[in-house]
């Protein structure tokens, strides 16, 4: 049923708003001169996405995740294992560390239903998309790394969709100049959407993808946009 690129729809009141992404091709990965490039982002290679697909308009919000939890009585792994907690920013040491007794309900900073949910691991994310699929009868899953990068780039070839520099107040990360910089999440949709109509593709929170982890793209990375399900599947992108 996905026909019109840019079309916005929702499969139900408890479901996220989705945006139809057009088919196309792009050069995936980072060129050697690019600042901040990692070996895991090379070599550059062409990816062709043959059919349109839909992706959430923004990152999953606390409100959306709350509706899933209430409907399914689900408990995240951090809630079931408080001694493990979640990865959180230790502001005194200015580094990431395991934070005991923290979870998506209490990540250590203030959030409301408009903020992106944090403190969920890959299994928690899988539980959420499985619930969406069972609820709607549609094929929900996490995006592949290729699909995510295709949408994040939105037709551009630069380090950021708007250019090679972070810019000022264009997204929420440490040197972005936003009012939330320095360990706070911004409400989803606080910054302008990209050319595909999606917001928060840059900054704000880390996002889980479907792919297994590979050290680089040199070992037969998929060229069709599908999830890469070979490699170290105990780790995920």
């Amino acid at each position: 049923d996905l026909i019109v690129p840019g079309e916005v729809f929702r499969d139900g009141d408890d479901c996220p708003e989705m945006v139809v992404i057009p088919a196309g091709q792009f050069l995936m990965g980072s060129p050697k001169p690019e600042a901040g490039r990692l070996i895991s982002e090379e070599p550059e290679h062409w990816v062709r996405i043959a059919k349109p697909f839909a992706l959430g308009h923004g990152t999953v919000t606390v409100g959306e995740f709350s509706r899933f939890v209430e409907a399914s009585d689900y408990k995240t792994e951090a809630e079931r294992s408080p001694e493990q907690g979640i990865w959180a920013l230790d502001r005194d040491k200015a580094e990431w560390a395991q934070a005991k007794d923290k979870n998506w309900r209490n990540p250590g900073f203030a959030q409301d239903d408009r903020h992106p949910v944090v403190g969920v691991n890959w299994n928690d994310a899988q539980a959420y998309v499985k619930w969406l699929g069972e609820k709607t009868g549609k094929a929900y899953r996490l995006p592949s790394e290729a699909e995510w990068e295709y949408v994040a780039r939105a037709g551009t070839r630069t380090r950021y969709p708007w250019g090679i520099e972070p810019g000022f107040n264009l997204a929420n990360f440490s040197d972005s100049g936003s009012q939330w910089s320095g360990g706070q999440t911004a409400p989803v949709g606080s910054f302008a959407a990209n050319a595909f109509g999606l917001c928060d593709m840059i900054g704000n929170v880390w996002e889980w993808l479907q792919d297994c982890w590979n050290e680089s793209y040199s070992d037969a990375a998929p060229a069709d946009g599908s999830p890469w399900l070979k490699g170290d599947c105990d780790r995920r992108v």
Side-chain angles (χ1 to χ4, degrees):
D1 296 335
L2 306 179
I3 299 174
V4 183
E7 178 184 0
V8 179
F9 68 93
R10 195 189 301 269
D11 284 324
D13 291 341
D14 292 338
C15 299
E17 188 174 73
M18 308 293 290
V19 180
V20 180
I21 307 301
Q25 63 179 359
F26 77 111
L27 190 59
M28 182 175 179
S30 298
K32 290 185 178 180
E34 187 170 89
R37 179 187 63 88
L38 302 174
I39 293 176
S40 59
E41 299 172 321
E42 64 174 61
E44 289 184 287
H45 59 286
W46 285 98
V47 173
R48 180 176 181 270
I49 295 175
K51 296 181 180 180
F53 64 98
L55 195 63
H57 172 258
T59 44
V60 177
T61 65
V62 171
E64 289 166 342
F65 196 76
S66 295
R67 289 191 283 275
F68 151 63
V69 167
E70 290 168 3
S72 63
D73 199 28
Y74 182 81
K75 291 188 181 298
T76 63
E77 292 195 4
E79 289 176 288
R80 283 176 271 151
S81 301
E83 71 284 356
Q84 174 180 311
I86 65 174
W87 281 98
L89 182 64
D90 184 327
R91 292 188 179 129
D92 293 332
K93 297 180 180 180
E95 62 183 28
W96 293 88
Q98 290 288 124
K100 294 182 179 181
D101 299 318
K102 294 289 190 290
N103 55 58
W104 73 278
R105 299 179 188 272
N106 175 31
F109 51 87
Q111 287 190 309
D112 59 33
D113 283 354
R114 301 169 301 157
H115 284 247
V117 66
V118 298
V120 295
N121 67 16
W122 192 82
N123 292 328
D124 299 328
Q126 290 295 317
Y128 175 67
V129 293
K130 180 182 179 183
W131 175 76
L132 287 175
E134 292 172 346
K135 179 180 177 63
T136 64
K138 303 294 178 64
Y140 278 86
R141 63 164 169 80
L142 295 179
S144 69
E145 183 181 9
E147 289 168 337
W148 185 92
E149 186 170 327
Y150 175 61
V151 176
R153 289 188 178 278
T156 65
R157 293 282 297 274
T158 48
R159 185 184 184 197
Y160 301 100
W162 52 79
I164 62 173
E165 299 296 335
F168 181 78
N169 204 28
L170 296 172
N172 183 36
F173 42 83
S174 59
D175 55 353
S176 65
S178 84
Q179 69 187 81
W180 301 280
S181 292
Q184 298 289 322
T185 55
V188 173
S190 295
F191 302 92
N194 69 14
F196 282 159
L198 277 79
C199 61
D200 293 305
M201 295 300 295
I202 304 296
N204 217 12
V205 290
W206 290 342
E207 300 176 65
W208 286 114
L209 302 177
Q210 190 68 19
D211 303 49
C212 299
W213 176 256
N214 286 272
E215 296 298 333
S216 75
Y217 301 133
S218 60
D219 188 19
D224 60 358
S226 61
W228 197 0
L229 301 180
K230 295 182 179 179
D232 182 358
C233 294
D234 289 331
R235 302 165 65 195
R236 296 286 174 161
V237 177

